[in-house]
Amino acid sequence: MQSQMTPKRPLTLRLAAPRGFCAGVDRAIQIVEESLLKWGTPVYVRHEIVHNRHVVERLEALGAVFVEELDECPDDRPVIFSAHGVPKSVPAEASRRNMIYLDATCPLVSKVHIEAERHYANAREIVLIGHEGHPEVIGTMGQLPEGSVTLIETVEDVATFAPKNPDNLAFLTQTTLSVDDTAEIVAALQARFPGISTPHKEDICYATTNRQEAVKALAPGAGLVLVIGARTSSNSVRLVEVALRAGAADAKLIASADDIDWSWFDNITTLGLTAGASAPEDLVQGVIDACRARFDVTMQAVKTADETVTFKLPRVLAG
């Protein structure tokens, strides 16, 4: 900390907008909160509702119990499926056990699930661009019989992909990918398979795209960009990559202000700050407050879009 005798060093803080919670995350958290009000405690949640420990811990304090699989849940308490989506086998098992279950899958992820089923019904071979092991990818691939979907992670994967019928292909993408990286993979697929069926509308969600555009706008000339988010959050990890590609001298992923190593700021005059789609705004404010305690901060808003999207709650909670 600076002593009161020493003037604080100036720091320009560029704050990205949009940042933080998207409509799908907002809806998922509301589903847990409203379920606790409707049914009391405990309410079970399969997997982290969204990829953020601060959010999960707050909901645990309200009475939510987070589990990995349905077999950890009793039959007589409600269970909620996370925003990332689940394989079809999960709600099928919940139905077999006569459980009350609520699906908090982001509607934009559900859209990809519907596309997958449409392509499968049309006997197309399906390629999914995404990251192996991510819950959203597991959920999307789990909409169809095993072996129906081939996962492509890189441009190199496109070169080695050997479809059964190159003339009857379709591709889908995970919703939280890097827009630029995905465009390269799509271009490679289309170059190899000119007739490949494309999504009606871009699968990468509006919130991922908007947060990446805001980072591209604030990164040039920034000595450091801080992205608030979890290491398990795909969209947050992508924001770090986007910042570096867009011209930031350095970029770091932090869970909160507690993770900041202040030696990162030794020669920094301009800081960029954003938050992934599952990071709450109070964490952003925490970083701003920590910077203000140490520097003479000048705030600059870098706004690239307005977001007005909202998603309805499940009917059982809407009353």
Side-chain angles (χ1 to χ4, degrees):
M1 295 282 284
Q2 306 267 353
S3 76
Q4 289 195 333
M5 300 298 291
T6 311
K8 293 178 182 176
R9 185 158 63 81
L11 178 72
T12 299
L13 196 159
R14 297 177 181 166
L15 184 59
R19 64 180 177 275
F21 281 178
C22 61
V25 165
D26 258 336
R27 174 179 179 270
I29 293 168
Q30 272 187 275
I31 287 172
V32 179
E33 293 169 342
E34 293 297 321
S35 295
L36 286 163
L37 289 174
K38 184 178 178 73
W39 287 291
T41 61
V43 164
Y44 287 77
V45 185
R46 184 186 178 277
H47 287 180
E48 290 188 343
I49 187 70
V50 297
H51 281 151
N52 190 279
R53 280 309 305 168
H54 295 268
V55 171
V56 168
E57 287 167 7
R58 185 178 70 80
L59 294 172
E60 282 176 333
L62 294 176
V65 176
F66 290 85
V67 298
E68 284 304 302
E69 297 298 343
L70 271 190
D71 58 17
E72 299 171 66
C73 304
D75 292 348
D76 61 349
R77 295 303 304 165
V79 62
I80 298 164
F81 306 144
S82 79
H84 312 102
V86 293
K88 273 194 169 172
S89 57
V90 175
E93 172 64 8
S95 293
R96 188 191 69 76
R97 289 172 56 187
N98 291 320
M99 300 174 80
I100 296 171
Y101 66 88
L102 295 95
D103 189 353
T105 301
C106 173
L108 298 178
V109 174
S110 297
K111 178 179 79 75
V112 178
H113 292 179
I114 292 163
E115 284 180 61
E117 293 189 326
R118 180 171 56 82
H119 290 312
Y120 184 75
N122 290 326
R124 292 194 184 102
E125 195 170 343
I126 300 166
V127 170
L128 175 63
I129 302 169
H131 296 296
E132 186 171 12
H134 189 277
E136 184 185 327
V137 166
I138 293 167
T140 298
M141 294 181 79
Q143 299 306 300
L144 301 174
E146 197 166 341
S148 304
V149 182
T150 300
L151 184 64
I152 295 276
E153 296 191 83
T154 63
V155 169
E156 289 72 29
D157 288 347
V158 176
T160 57
F161 173 50
K164 299 179 192 73
N165 183 355
D167 298 321
N168 194 25
L169 291 174
F171 78 84
L172 308 166
T173 83
Q174 185 180 331
T175 63
T176 54
L177 299 177
S178 157
V179 174
D180 295 335
D181 287 347
T182 305
E184 290 176 18
I185 297 171
V186 169
L189 277 170
Q190 291 177 322
R192 265 201 79 193
F193 310 108
I196 193 167
S197 178
T198 61
H200 284 317
K201 189 173 181 295
E202 185 60 66
D203 282 340
I204 296 175
C205 81
Y206 78 93
T208 297
T209 303
N210 287 350
R211 279 148 193 71
Q212 290 179 21
E213 289 301 315
V215 165
K216 286 178 188 177
L218 66 71
L224 174 66
V225 172
L226 293 178
V227 178
I228 303 170
R231 298 201 176 280
T232 49
S233 164
S234 175
N235 78 85
S236 301
V237 174
R238 301 290 82 75
L239 289 173
V240 175
E241 299 166 356
V242 169
L244 291 169
R245 187 179 290 180
D250 196 7
K252 308 275 189 189
L253 182 67
I254 59 170
S256 71
D258 295 340
D259 289 345
I260 295 173
D261 177 344
W262 293 100
S263 69
W264 299 339
F265 287 70
D266 283 353
N267 298 301
I268 301 298
T269 57
T270 302
L271 173 72
L273 179 61
T274 190
S278 44
E281 183 62 17
D282 61 334
L283 298 181
V284 176
Q285 194 56 52
V287 171
I288 294 170
D289 291 345
C291 288
R292 282 191 166 133
R294 291 163 175 83
F295 303 100
D296 179 12
V297 173
T298 301
M299 297 291 294
Q300 283 183 356
V302 180
K303 186 174 185 178
T304 53
D306 286 303
E307 289 184 350
T308 56
V309 177
T310 56
F311 295 131
K312 291 180 181 174
L313 295 180
R315 200 173 290 122
V316 69
L317 295 176

